[in-house]
């Protein structure tokens, strides 16, 4: 069963792909699931940036290989630079990257880890249901990156402190933020990153925090 469309304000999606068939396919997957969403499209990195400035979309679905401007050839480095700009300038923008070869995203790993919006990667070979799941995750602030970007469990000291306060002290996010002397939204950001490295993602019928605790204990991050 596909995830339910988010029933809040009318959403605006930007889909960026220089291949007309791929662009058409992505848009037609989105329309039935988000019938009230405004969907705008771009074919180049420069066009995408112009549209984002003028429309401030809720979600950008971006092909990793694209031309910089009209008339140029599609290049992965153009897509990487576009993503770098989006992450740095629009910190709360939710992003889905479409690519059959996402390995080059490793160049953006530090930026992705600090991004405040959702960030997911969808292989172009995914089924419609799986693609929509990645969109849903991004809209809900999830960070999901390819396995090759998560070969080794890398956990920062502040994440460990948060896990200790949450699962061994039983504190909620507001009190965790107070104890750590940080903003509550920073605590939520830490959760996203911990869940990414532990490969814990939303799953119908499961409690995300409980699954995070189970995985954290399995990995020895908390006693």
């Amino acid at each position: 069963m596909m995830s339910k469309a988010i029933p809040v304000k009318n959403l605006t999606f930007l889909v960026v792909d220089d291949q007309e068939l791929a662009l058409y396919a992505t848009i037609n997957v989105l329309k039935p699931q988000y019938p009230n969403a405004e969907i705008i499209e771009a074919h180049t990195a420069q066009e995408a940036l112009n549209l984002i400035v003028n429309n401030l979309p809720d979600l950008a679905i971006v092909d990793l290989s694209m031309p910089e401007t009209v008339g140029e050839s599609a290049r992965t480095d153009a897509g990487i630079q576009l993503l770098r700009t989006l992450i740095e300038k629009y910190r709360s923008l939710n992003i889905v990257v479409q690519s059959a070869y996402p390995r080059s995203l490793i160049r953006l790993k530090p930026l992705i880890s600090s991004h405040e919006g959702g960030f997911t990667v969808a292989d172009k070979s995914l089924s419609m249901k799986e693609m929509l799941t990645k969109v849903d995750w991004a809209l809900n602030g999830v960070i999901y990156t390819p396995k090759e970007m998560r070969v080794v469990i890398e956990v920062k000291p502040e994440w460990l402190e948060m896990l200790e306060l949450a699962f061994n002290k039983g504190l909620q996010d507001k009190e965790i933020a107070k104890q750590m002397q940080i903003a509550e939204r920073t605590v939520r950001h830490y959760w996203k990153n911990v869940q990414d490295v532990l490969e814990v993602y939303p799953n119908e019928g499961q409690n995300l925090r409980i699954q995070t605790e189970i995985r954290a204990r399995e990995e020895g991050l908390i006693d």
Side-chain angles (χ1 to χ4, degrees), residues 119-217:
F119 189 102
T120 65
V121 180
D123 192 294
K124 283 197 169 184
S125 65
L126 289 179
S127 67
M128 180 175 71
K129 178 181 177 180
E130 291 172 313
M131 166 61 180
L132 288 172
T133 295
K134 296 301 188 300
V135 170
D136 181 66
W137 286 3
L139 287 170
N140 282 284
V142 171
I143 293 179
Y144 168 84
T145 54
K147 285 187 176 181
E148 52 264 41
M149 294 179 66
R150 295 177 269 116
V151 175
V152 179
I153 295 290
E154 300 178 62
V155 183
K156 296 181 179 180
E158 56 266 35
W159 302 354
L160 294 174
E161 182 180 359
M162 178 195 69
L163 291 172
E164 171 70 17
L165 291 171
F167 297 132
N168 289 337
K169 301 295 184 182
L171 302 184
Q172 296 183 343
D173 286 1
K174 185 175 181 179
E175 186 61 27
I176 291 172
K178 184 178 178 181
Q179 292 280 332
M180 296 181 66
Q181 298 183 334
I182 56 177
E184 191 172 346
R185 74 171 187 173
T186 303
V187 174
R188 293 194 296 269
H189 180 63
Y190 288 171
W191 280 117
K192 289 195 299 180
N193 283 287
V194 168
Q195 287 158 356
D196 182 45
V197 298
L198 293 176
E199 299 184 350
V200 177
Y201 302 109
N203 193 16
E204 188 173 352
Q206 292 186 334
N207 184 297
L208 194 61
R209 288 286 171 95
I210 292 176
Q211 293 304 309
T212 303
E213 180 179 6
I214 291 171
R215 286 288 294 119
R217 294 192 188 281

Side-chain angles (χ1 to χ4, degrees), residues 4-213:
K4 295 180 181 179
I6 295 179
V8 289
K9 63 162 185 150
N10 289 343
L11 300 170
T12 299
F13 297 163
L14 170 66
V15 182
V16 189
D17 201 310
D18 65 310
Q19 298 180 13
E20 289 290 347
L21 286 177
L23 193 66
Y24 177 84
T26 300
I27 291 173
N28 279 276
V29 166
L30 293 170
K31 280 183 176 179
Q33 188 71 3
Y34 302 95
N36 297 320
E38 178 186 3
I39 302 177
I40 54 180
E41 58 187 72
H43 301 84
T44 70
Q46 188 58 58
E47 184 182 4
L49 288 174
N50 292 339
L51 287 171
I52 285 177
V53 169
N54 294 324
N55 294 274
L56 295 177
D58 302 280
L59 175 77
I61 301 177
V62 181
D63 185 14
L64 195 53
S65 178
M66 70 181 68
E68 174 67 28
T69 59
V70 175
E72 294 186 0
S73 299
R75 308 186 325 274
T76 299
D77 61 322
I80 290 292
Q81 184 54 50
L82 172 62
L83 287 170
R84 185 186 301 278
T85 301
L86 296 184
I87 294 171
E88 290 178 342
K89 290 190 175 182
Y90 304 94
R91 298 190 58 80
S92 62
L93 174 65
N94 302 305
I95 299 171
V96 177
V97 177
Q98 285 190 304
S99 177
Y101 305 100
R103 191 172 186 83
S104 56
L105 286 171
I106 196 73
R107 304 177 222 169
L108 299 176
K109 186 175 181 179
L111 285 175
I112 294 170
S113 296
S114 64
H115 189 53
E116 294 176 4
F119 189 102
T120 65
V121 180
D123 192 294
K124 283 197 169 184
S125 65
L126 289 179
S127 67
M128 180 175 71
K129 178 181 177 180
E130 291 172 313
M131 166 61 180
L132 288 172
T133 295
K134 296 301 188 300
V135 170
D136 181 66
W137 286 3
L139 287 170
N140 282 284
V142 171
I143 293 179
Y144 168 84
T145 54
K147 285 187 176 181
E148 52 264 41
M149 294 179 66
R150 295 177 269 116
V151 175
V152 179
I153 295 290
E154 300 178 62
V155 183
K156 296 181 179 180
E158 56 266 35
W159 302 354
L160 294 174
E161 182 180 359
M162 178 195 69
L163 291 172
E164 171 70 17
L165 291 171
F167 297 132
N168 289 337
K169 301 295 184 182
L171 302 184
Q172 296 183 343
D173 286 1
K174 185 175 181 179
E175 186 61 27
I176 291 172
K178 184 178 178 181
Q179 292 280 332
M180 296 181 66
Q181 298 183 334
I182 56 177
E184 191 172 346
R185 74 171 187 173
T186 303
V187 174
R188 293 194 296 269
H189 180 63
Y190 288 171
W191 280 117
K192 289 195 299 180
N193 283 287
V194 168
Q195 287 158 356
D196 182 45
V197 298
L198 293 176
E199 299 184 350
V200 177
Y201 302 109
N203 193 16
E204 188 173 352
Q206 292 186 334
N207 184 297
L208 194 61
R209 288 286 171 95
I210 292 176
Q211 293 304 309
T212 303
E213 180 179 6

